[in-house]
Amino acid sequence: MRLRNKNWTKDYIEENSQYMINTNEKINPEKCFENKGKYFLEIGCGKGQFSIQNALKYSQNNYIAMEKETTVIGVALKKAINTFEGEFKNLKFLNKFAENLLDIFEPKSFDTIFLNFSDPWPKSKHYKKRLTYISFLEIYHQLLKDDGYIEIKTDNDKLYEFSLEEIEKSKFELIMNTNDLYSSEKLLENNIPTEYEQKFHSMGKNINKIILKKVVND
């Protein structure tokens, strides 16, 4: 569901631009952060809870929260500032579409890419727009460091099944998959939920999760 436009977000983003990545050049995450830990990208961060809580919990790591909707980025940015109650240095927001990732980021930039509750594009004619379609998986393969990971969560069972089919064609190793993340305490170890995840789980909806590892051919 698209968030209603909030007029204050554009000015708020400009006033807090130190937490935004604003450049037309290809992004090298190492140049975006003082901390030289690992680098994580969330594509479609929504209201930001997942990346914010990760940045709080793992202060040694760096997170880029990417979202195409300016209003949503503004809401996420405000949530981050309120959550940290002051300055934070290991989280940046990026207001971009995901269609041209190779034009946005340098290759081998990230240790892990997160795809949380991506648009399932349910109509069959739109299957190439799904973020787990093989062409996107090939792009992620280029953006990840060697031995990098992709973590996928979705409430949409058909997208989950579609993703598994696409993964079979890809250069990724399937490390873990479940169609019911909340069925096991072990599966939930270190799990940080998104806003959507909490909502759907509270409604009794199963949550699907997939973890992939980049395979590098010698």
Side-chain angles (χ1 to χ4, degrees), residues 60-207:
Q60 74 277 18
N61 294 329
N62 303 292
Y63 297 85
I64 294 178
M66 183 176 178
E67 172 60 48
K68 65 182 180 180
E69 300 291 344
T70 302
T71 295
V72 180
I73 277 282
V75 171
L77 176 57
K78 185 174 183 180
K79 178 181 285 189
I81 291 171
N82 290 339
T83 300
F84 280 89
E85 298 181 342
E87 189 177 50
F88 51 92
K89 296 184 178 181
N90 67 328
L91 172 62
K92 297 277 189 178
F93 292 93
L94 178 64
N95 189 193
K96 294 275 189 182
F97 285 80
E99 282 78 1
N100 303 305
L101 291 169
L102 292 177
D103 294 328
I104 298 173
F105 298 107
E106 294 283 354
K108 295 189 176 182
S109 286
F110 298 102
D111 294 276
T112 299
I113 294 173
F114 298 108
L115 303 174
N116 291 320
F117 299 87
S118 305
D119 190 335
W121 291 99
K123 293 183 179 180
S124 57
K125 66 180 180 180
H126 291 149
Y127 72 97
K128 291 184 179 181
K129 294 185 177 183
R130 297 168 189 162
L131 292 184
T132 53
Y133 178 59
I134 184 62
S135 63
F136 280 106
L137 293 176
E138 290 171 350
I139 290 170
Y140 307 146
H141 196 275
Q142 295 181 61
L143 293 181
L144 285 167
K145 297 178 181 180
D146 293 347
D147 297 327
Y149 292 87
I150 299 176
E151 295 195 14
I152 303 164
K153 287 196 281 189
T154 179
D155 65 300
N156 189 286
D157 297 331
K158 290 185 178 179
L159 179 61
Y160 170 70
E161 293 166 3
F162 172 85
S163 300
L164 291 174
E165 292 173 0
E166 295 300 293
I167 290 162
E168 289 184 2
K169 311 171 192 174
S170 76
K171 298 176 182 178
F172 285 95
E173 178 185 356
L174 181 62
I175 299 298
M176 187 278 280
N177 67 290
T178 177
N179 62 2
D180 193 356
L181 177 61
Y182 284 78
S183 66
S184 164
E185 290 186 8
K186 184 175 182 180
L187 290 174
L188 286 171
E189 286 180 4
N190 300 315
N191 181 62
I192 293 179
T194 72
E195 293 92 345
Y196 276 121
E197 183 175 341
Q198 290 176 319
K199 175 184 175 181
F200 291 130
H201 175 61
S202 69
M203 295 167 59
K205 182 70 182 72
N206 64 298
I207 304 298

Side-chain angles (χ1 to χ4, degrees), residues 44-56:
C45 70
K47 297 178 184 178
Q49 176 171 295
F50 180 81
S51 284
I52 292 167
Q53 292 301 319
N54 268 287
L56 271 172

